[in-house]
Amino acid sequence: MEKRVSKSAWTALILFGFIGQIAWAIENMEFNIFLFNEIGGTSNDIARMVAWSAVVSTVATLAMGIISDRLRHRRGFLCWGYICWGILTAAFSLLSRSNTARLWPSLTSTEVLMRTVGLVILMDCCMSFFGSMANDAGFNTWVTEITPSFQRAQVEGVLNVFPLLALLVVAGAAGVLVAQFGWKLFFILTGILVSLCGVIGLWIVEEPEHVQAKEMTTVSAIFYGFRPSVIRENRMYYTLLGTLCLFNCSVQIFMPYLLIYLEKTLGFDAGTYSLVMAIVIIAASICSILIGKIGMNTDRKKLTQLGLCFYGIGLLGASVMRTPLLFVIAGTVMMSGYVTVLTFLMSALRDTTPKEHVGMFQGIRLIATVLIPMLIGPYIGAFVIAHSNSGVYTNSYGEIVSLPVPAVFVVAALCGLLVFLPLMHQKQDSKEQDSN
């Protein structure tokens, strides 16, 4: 009989899960604003920073997961990773054009700007490396190994709340903190929070009892998860990866444009769209926790399919709703379906992760569930917007761009329908495995 997650493990899971998502939310949202407003970078500089950090995060997760497997050690990568993650975040307080000019007094003002932008991008890549080591390779591996199969839906239900709450906290608090105390103190306080989490973890995080890693060379480990024979042996795992990849591509079609749609297309003021998002996020968070508990004793495949139906219905509703109240209803249905699908797919993915390569497969997971969807989804959304009859507006970078259109929700819903195909295949695989 598998042991339930202990109280100390629950404490660590909640602490690291929430603080980690706050750190990622700051990296994804506030660093771009810092580069543009404080340093003077362009939208192209922001695009370069996002692209490089995504690549570094993926490589770091794959490499550090392999090393973690080889050393059969999770606690150190998790705790010390968070400590270093916080230090690198606090180091952003040192970045400014005036500091660059002091270090290289012979540079012209244009060269100072270029050098500072380069340093910000480099620092973001370093921070992303340790963030991926700590959260993607460390925390997610640790969660997989300490969570029994029967409790994974409950754990995923809780974990899926944190990105939503982190978005709510960062969107609401970051602007106020920067306005009151400035970027320097903001980065220092954030860094201390993340590092403190790692320090606390040294006292409360326990090493998993069974780290079943196989010995292999580094080169073999890097390419192991891409071998056709490995894919065939772990067919269910890769089927679930494909399912998550399709689902996240659907999400990325509309999500990058959601706030712009609410503000510019529907004309909601800042207070209104913030309230709309807050209600939707809180409702979806409650749904995530409840669904996680229900999933411990219910057919997870059926609940996943039901969640996918709610997700699609909510998206179609969002495409026609024009008032705040109606959009809250559609958004709540959509986000509740979203967290339901994510909860059960992720719990099933943890169930099927090869136990002898848990750390290494976190890198494979990141490629399929984050990197590919972020490279595909937003461009589909941009294509739909560019080829629709929509108005234009001037964004915060001074560029004339097209307004997001309701069609992005419809296309996202259609893409979401494709998720039923691997879900049906997953069901067939389950029956085959049961008969063997």
Side-chain angles (χ1 to χ4, degrees):
M1 178 66 180
E2 295 178 293
K3 293 195 302 184
R4 298 181 67 88
V5 178
S6 65
K7 290 183 179 180
S8 62
W10 268 115
T11 302
L13 189 148
I14 292 171
L15 177 66
F16 280 89
F18 186 45
I19 299 301
Q21 289 302 323
I22 287 180
W24 279 132
I26 290 172
E27 194 269 343
N28 291 330
M29 298 169 61
E30 298 304 316
F31 284 2
N32 295 344
I33 298 173
F34 171 74
L35 178 59
F36 185 80
N37 289 341
E38 187 72 8
I39 303 301
T42 66
S43 56
N44 287 331
D45 295 326
I46 292 174
R48 284 194 297 135
M49 184 169 71
V50 171
W52 275 109
S53 64
V55 172
V56 169
S57 294
T58 303
V59 172
T61 302
L62 183 60
M64 301 312 290
I66 290 171
I67 296 173
S68 176
D69 281 344
R70 176 170 296 177
L71 297 178
R72 293 182 171 84
H73 193 59
R74 311 301 188 196
R75 179 173 172 271
F77 283 83
L78 172 58
C79 298
W80 286 105
Y82 266 73
I83 292 172
C84 294
W85 193 7
I87 292 172
L88 266 296
T89 301
F92 268 80
S93 64
L94 302 174
L95 297 176
S96 67
R97 291 166 69 168
S98 59
N99 285 344
T100 301
R102 292 190 192 97
L103 286 174
W104 292 281
S106 60
L107 296 179
T108 65
S109 58
T110 302
E111 290 171 335
V112 166
L113 172 60
M114 294 175 60
R115 182 69 57 85
T116 308
V117 167
L119 288 173
V120 171
I121 295 174
L122 176 62
M123 189 69 77
D124 183 51
C125 288
C126 292
M127 192 281 298
S128 295
F129 179 91
F130 284 102
S132 294
M133 167 187 161
N135 193 262
D136 294 310
F139 178 68
N140 275 292
T141 302
W142 177 79
V143 169
T144 299
E145 292 182 329
I146 62 105
T147 309
S149 179
F150 69 88
Q151 213 174 353
R152 281 191 175 133
Q154 181 186 19
V155 169
E156 286 300 326
V158 173
L159 289 178
N160 286 332
V161 169
F162 297 144
L164 301 174
L165 294 182
L167 177 63
L168 194 61
V169 170
V170 172
V176 175
L177 289 174
V178 171
Q180 291 292 323
F181 304 108
W183 285 105
K184 184 175 182 178
L185 189 57
F186 172 75
F187 286 131
I188 291 174
L189 291 175
T190 303
I192 290 174
L193 177 66
V194 177
S195 291
L196 183 61
C197 177
V199 172
I200 294 173
L202 292 173
W203 295 94
I204 66 174
V205 173
E206 299 177 357
E207 191 71 41
E209 295 180 4
H210 306 290
V211 180
Q212 306 174 28
K214 283 185 177 179
E215 292 289 346
M216 60 172 59
T217 65
T218 302
V219 175
S220 297
I222 290 173
F223 294 101
Y224 179 82
F226 302 97
R227 296 176 185 172
S229 60
V230 174
I231 295 174
R232 287 193 298 269
E233 291 172 6
N234 300 279
R235 182 172 52 184
M236 180 62 72
Y237 179 84
Y238 286 92
T239 300
L240 287 164
L241 274 186
T243 308
L244 278 162
C245 185
L246 274 175
F247 182 66
N248 286 342
C249 282
S250 169
V251 173
Q252 288 298 322
I253 289 173
F254 74 92
M255 191 62 77
Y257 312 103
L258 180 57
L259 292 182
I260 300 173
Y261 177 81
L262 294 178
E263 181 182 10
K264 303 297 183 181
T265 304
L266 296 186
F268 297 170
D269 58 42
T272 300
Y273 76 69
S274 296
L275 181 60
V276 167
M277 290 302 298
I279 295 173
V280 170
I281 287 173
I282 292 171
S285 299
I286 295 171
C287 174
S288 181
I289 295 173
L290 294 176
I291 285 294
K293 290 184 178 181
I294 294 172
M296 293 179 66
N297 303 304
T298 311
D299 187 337
R300 291 188 293 188
K301 294 188 187 73
K302 290 182 179 178
L303 286 174
T304 304
Q305 293 169 344
L306 181 62
L308 193 57
C309 290
F310 274 93
Y311 171 72
I313 292 170
L315 283 172
L316 294 176
S319 69
V320 297
M321 301 306 181
R322 297 290 183 268
T323 65
L325 177 59
L326 292 177
F327 199 91
V328 163
I329 295 172
T332 300
V333 173
M334 181 269 292
M335 286 301 293
S336 297
Y338 164 78
V339 296
T340 299
V341 174
L342 206 58
T343 293
F344 295 123
L345 287 183
M346 283 303 300
S347 62
L349 191 71
R350 292 191 194 279
D351 285 342
T352 56
T353 301
K355 292 182 173 57
E356 65 274 13
H357 298 295
V358 177
M360 183 198 72
F361 271 87
Q362 300 309 309
I364 305 296
R365 175 188 61 81
L366 203 69
I367 292 172
T369 62
V370 177
L371 185 61
I372 294 176
M374 289 185 70
L375 291 176
I376 294 177
Y379 286 100
I380 295 176
F383 178 85
V384 172
I385 293 170
H387 290 78
S388 301
N389 293 323
S390 63
V392 297
Y393 76 102
T394 304
N395 67 13
S396 57
Y397 308 121
E399 302 166 337
I400 303 299
V401 294
S402 300
L403 283 170
V405 291
V408 293
F409 298 107
V410 178
V411 174
L414 292 175
C415 182
L417 286 176
L418 297 176
V419 178
F420 277 106
L421 297 176
L423 276 180
M424 293 169 61
H425 186 56
Q426 176 193 344
K427 191 171 184 178
Q428 180 182 350
D429 284 348
S430 298
K431 289 182 178 179
E432 291 176 2
Q433 287 182 0
D434 292 339
S435 62
N436 291 338

